[in-house]
Amino acid sequence: MPYSVLVVDERPLVLARLVEPLREAGYDVTAATTFEAAKQRLAVNTPNLLIAASRLGLFNGMHLVVRGRIDHPAMAAILTAQVKDPLLEAEASTYGATCVLTPETSAELLALVSSTFALQPM
């Protein structure tokens, strides 16, 4: 059974750039463009991995990580950012998440996801 991944980004082009390579690599991928939609998906299905943008309208990806960790402590989490932010990186680490710059290439994304799954007990 393939790993499931929930990808959340309010920018449709970035979302597509993240989702398609994961699907092509065989992951079971669900996408959401809003905090609210992602929150609903987390309530219905527990993904093995949450990849969320740091900016999601009035909320941010960290809110999803925190909510996800409460209900699904084993879920892996990656927070993506447009700029390097040491405070966000530290906060993400507090919740067992990784904070990275949004991957620019499919190879970079797939390596990140692969290494995340290698580190997580599933």
Side-chain angles (χ1 to χ4, degrees):
M1 187 162 167
Y3 285 119
S4 61
V5 182
L6 172 57
V7 182
V8 188
D9 199 301
E10 65 183 5
R11 302 164 295 169
L13 293 176
V14 173
L15 187 64
R17 194 177 79 222
L18 297 174
V19 168
E20 290 310 313
L22 293 171
R23 283 193 178 138
E24 290 172 7
Y27 294 103
D28 177 17
V29 182
T30 304
T33 57
T34 66
F35 174 86
E36 292 79 12
K39 186 173 82 169
Q40 289 175 339
R41 286 183 175 86
L42 280 173
V44 174
N45 292 316
T46 305
N48 298 110
L49 172 62
L50 167 66
I51 301 175
S54 60
R55 303 301 321 149
L56 296 172
L58 298 176
F59 296 94
N60 64 46
M62 184 55 66
H63 291 111
L64 285 175
V65 170
V66 171
R67 292 182 72 88
R69 285 283 185 222
I70 290 169
D71 296 330
H72 317 291
M75 179 185 72
I78 297 172
L79 194 64
T80 61
Q82 294 178 342
V83 296
K84 189 164 179 59
D85 183 339
L87 292 176
L88 188 59
E89 291 172 13
E91 186 177 7
S93 179
T94 299
Y95 292 99
T98 302
C99 182
V100 299
L101 293 176
T102 304
E104 291 294 323
T105 67
S106 297
E108 187 181 332
L109 171 66
L110 294 174
L112 174 63
V113 170
S114 178
S115 67
T116 299
F117 282 135
L119 295 173
Q120 283 296 120
M122 297 288 169

